[in-house]
Amino acid sequence: MHISTRDLISKYNRPGPRYTSYPTALQFEELENPVPLLEQASHSTAPLSLYYHLPFCESLCWFCACTTVITCNRDRADTYLDALEKEMDLTMPYLNADNRDVNQLHFGGGSPSFQTPEQLERLCSDIHKRFKFAPNAEISAELDPRTLSEDKVKVLAKHGFNRASFGVQDVDPKVQKAVHRIQPDEMNRQCIKWVRDAGIESVNVDLIYGLPYQTVESFRKTLETVISYDPDRLAVFSYAHVPWVAPAQKILERSTLPDPEVKFAMLLETIDILTSNGYVYIGMDHFAKAGDELCNALSNGGLHRNFQGYTTMAGLEMCGFGMSSISQNGFSYRQNRKELDDWHKCIAENKLPTHKGYNMTKEDQLRRDVIMTIMCSGNVVYRDFNDKFEIDFEKHFASGIAALEEPSKDGLVNFNDGGFQVTPEGRLLLRNIAMPFDEYLQGGPGRHAKTI
């Protein structure tokens, strides 16, 4: 690297989007009538990617910025499933579901494992009654070992789930106590065994670095423990401190949060340890075993990015159900109401619960493709965009290219005759390299978490 770590952090540690979409959700606008956006889907034959937001958790993890509802009352999940079923029926006329397969299904939250086995059975059956699945569909769920049981795993396996993602975050008891998430190592191991015994093929583990009391040494021990679980993929997220979004995060300010230099050292240590143990660094926060589909996609240019992170599935239309869920096609986004009562009220009145949306301009589509190319392959070939969008890339993005001159001097980007390539060092700061091409950051970075 052409710049010291301290100087690199000083220069590049600034707020910026994670680019799971472009434009980001900050640009979504309130909709008086969501039907025109939904009608775009009614003529599509693109395969579907379904997302179900299951918001309930028994307790609040103080680092969490997800849209959750904290309760121990399982009856609330029954009421929620009633509404989900009705939301599907309100949406189905716009989906042309008879003429296209579901290639991807994901349960997120909150915690899908909050639901009882009977509630999971009901939800899975309700979905399969309405949609037809491709034989090789990717079907996954985020699971919390603290609320998982073997019976719940058996229900998921029965309905074709082939990927499970476990939130672990850290195995150090001191860190767990500081973030209000007590989760013993033995519990993690038992849940992963249940999943594998049930025939669910792929296991992902989520970790977070930058939490209270973490050090490079303590996080190394967490990594070594998690490697012994033998996960197929890991998502090692940088803790995003956004107390204006998640007020409970203010509690963590009372503890010792690692400074940016320590966080960056944790990232470097993570990459070193995981790549030394057979994992490939996909980008941002994703790692996968050599030979995994993500690794193959990285090498052959088939890597893509959506609201669930990196994926091998391109060209899908995402359809989200449940409070706060986001739907996406090639031209627009739409987001459901984020407050549970508001979401329920819409559905009770037989109204679609879509609250916000965004219709992309041609310029948005161009910039989305540039940013996603940076985030996925890191290899921007000007000619590709010239041909597709009928532009002169170097003229159109003169200011963006100029903004990469400094990162180029710092060894993060290499320019060539026909474009530029992100270097291995630059892959640590993909968000920073993408940001000059974000039209909506020109007036300032907005209320995003910092990139380091």
Side-chain angles (χ1 to χ4, degrees):
M1 194 171 290
H2 305 167
I3 181 174
S4 72
T5 297
R6 184 182 297 274
D7 288 343
L8 183 144
I9 292 167
S10 175
K11 183 182 290 189
Y12 293 101
N13 188 30
R14 58 194 184 95
R18 293 181 59 81
Y19 293 120
T20 51
S21 72
Y22 181 85
T24 70
L26 290 180
Q27 304 305 320
F28 295 178
E29 301 162 340
E30 289 192 19
L31 297 173
E32 288 187 15
N33 179 14
V35 169
L37 290 186
L38 271 158
E39 285 178 337
Q40 292 179 352
S42 63
H43 306 293
S44 175
T45 57
L48 288 168
S49 172
L50 304 180
Y51 172 76
Y52 289 80
H53 190 77
L54 306 173
F56 301 108
C57 291
E58 286 187 357
S59 64
L60 179 63
C61 303
W62 291 336
F63 57 79
C64 182
C66 300
T67 305
T68 60
V69 175
I70 306 304
T71 182
C72 289
N73 182 1
R74 260 56 181 188
D75 291 344
R76 295 187 70 181
D78 279 319
T79 305
Y80 189 81
L81 294 181
D82 291 341
L84 265 184
E85 190 170 354
K86 192 170 180 180
E87 184 189 356
M88 283 191 276
D89 289 338
L90 288 169
T91 308
M92 291 299 287
Y94 302 99
L95 293 186
N96 190 24
D98 290 339
N99 295 313
R100 48 183 172 164
D101 289 344
V102 173
N103 282 11
Q104 192 175 51
L105 166 67
H106 185 70
F107 287 177
S111 177
S113 51
F114 172 91
Q115 275 66 215
T116 66
E118 293 76 20
Q119 288 166 342
L120 285 172
E121 172 67 39
R122 174 189 170 187
L123 175 58
C124 292
S125 297
D126 286 344
I127 293 168
H128 279 275
K129 286 175 189 173
R130 290 166 173 81
F131 296 96
K132 59 189 181 74
F133 283 71
N136 60 343
E138 179 182 289
I139 307 177
S140 61
E142 298 167 14
L143 302 174
D144 182 344
R146 297 171 302 165
T147 56
L148 193 62
S149 69
E150 189 170 15
D151 286 343
K152 295 176 186 181
V153 171
K154 288 178 178 177
V155 171
L156 295 175
K158 171 187 169 184
H159 288 279
F161 280 74
N162 46 34
R163 295 188 183 278
S165 182
F166 288 100
V168 172
Q169 322 315 345
D170 197 300
V171 300
D172 187 320
K174 185 176 183 181
V175 176
Q176 291 182 0
K177 183 177 180 181
V179 300
H180 198 231
R181 186 185 178 106
I182 305 300
Q183 190 173 312
D185 172 61
E186 295 78 11
M187 179 184 289
N188 297 333
R189 293 182 188 277
Q190 177 62 77
C191 290
I192 290 172
K193 185 176 187 300
W194 284 336
V195 161
R196 288 188 166 134
D197 287 350
I200 295 175
E201 300 161 4
S202 182
V203 171
N204 179 89
V205 170
D206 292 345
L207 301 175
I208 297 177
Y209 66 94
L211 295 176
Y213 303 115
Q214 285 179 332
T215 64
V216 174
E217 177 61 33
S218 76
F219 201 63
R220 181 186 304 122
K221 292 178 180 176
T222 285
L223 288 166
E224 289 168 350
T225 299
V226 169
I227 287 170
S228 73
Y229 300 166
D230 194 29
D232 300 278
R233 299 178 182 178
L234 294 101
V236 188
F237 298 107
S238 169
Y239 166 61
H241 192 61
V242 286
W244 56 88
V245 174
Q249 290 187 348
K250 293 176 182 176
I251 298 169
L252 302 187
E253 295 173 0
R254 306 173 193 164
S255 307
T256 303
L257 284 167
D259 63 31
E261 201 163 336
V262 173
K263 279 188 74 177
F264 198 68
M266 286 182 193
L267 173 59
L268 295 176
E269 183 77 359
T270 297
I271 294 170
D272 182 55
I273 289 176
L274 292 180
T275 55
S276 298
N277 282 274
Y279 292 90
V280 174
Y281 181 38
I282 303 300
M284 280 282 289
D285 35 41
H286 282 52
F287 299 81
K289 278 185 179 178
D292 185 274
E293 290 177 353
L294 279 181
C295 299
N296 298 335
L298 177 65
S299 62
N300 66 25
L303 194 64
H304 301 275
R305 190 162 172 81
N306 62 22
F307 291 103
Q308 276 82 60
Y310 285 108
T311 176
T312 61
M313 301 259 179
L316 306 188
E317 178 169 332
M318 292 185 64
C319 188
F321 296 97
M323 59 179 283
S324 82
S325 66
I326 297 177
S327 301
Q328 172 188 357
N329 59 33
F331 311 102
S332 66
Y333 301 96
R334 58 187 190 273
Q335 183 171 27
N336 279 354
R337 292 187 176 274
K338 296 182 76 171
E339 298 298 326
L340 182 61
D341 289 345
D342 293 341
W343 178 80
H344 271 298
K345 183 174 184 290
C346 280
I347 294 171
E349 295 173 353
N350 294 314
K351 296 177 183 176
L352 292 163
T354 307
H355 175 51
K356 289 186 174 183
Y358 189 87
N359 224 342
M360 278 185 277
T361 65
K362 189 79 176 285
E363 183 69 16
D364 291 328
Q365 294 172 47
L366 164 61
R367 290 176 181 268
R368 175 197 61 193
D369 283 12
V370 174
I371 287 171
M372 292 307 166
T373 298
I374 292 170
M375 299 297 292
C376 293
S377 74
N379 184 29
V380 174
V381 179
Y382 299 155
R383 184 183 63 252
D384 294 344
F385 299 93
N386 294 345
D387 295 343
K388 182 176 179 180
F389 292 95
E390 298 180 340
I391 62 165
D392 182 325
F393 192 102
E394 291 176 271
K395 287 183 179 179
H396 196 95
F397 290 113
S399 62
I401 293 170
L404 292 183
E405 289 180 5
E406 194 69 18
S408 178
K409 292 176 184 175
D410 294 333
L412 307 181
V413 174
N414 285 332
F415 284 99
N416 52 57
D417 289 341
F420 62 85
Q421 173 77 54
V422 178
T423 67
E425 292 84 1
R427 290 173 67 207
L428 306 176
L429 295 163
L430 284 171
R431 293 154 73 183
N432 297 80
I433 295 168
M435 284 160 62
F437 300 92
D438 185 339
E439 189 173 33
Y440 302 100
L441 289 183
Q442 304 312 310
R447 293 170 71 77
H448 297 285
K450 290 187 175 182
T451 55
I452 298 176

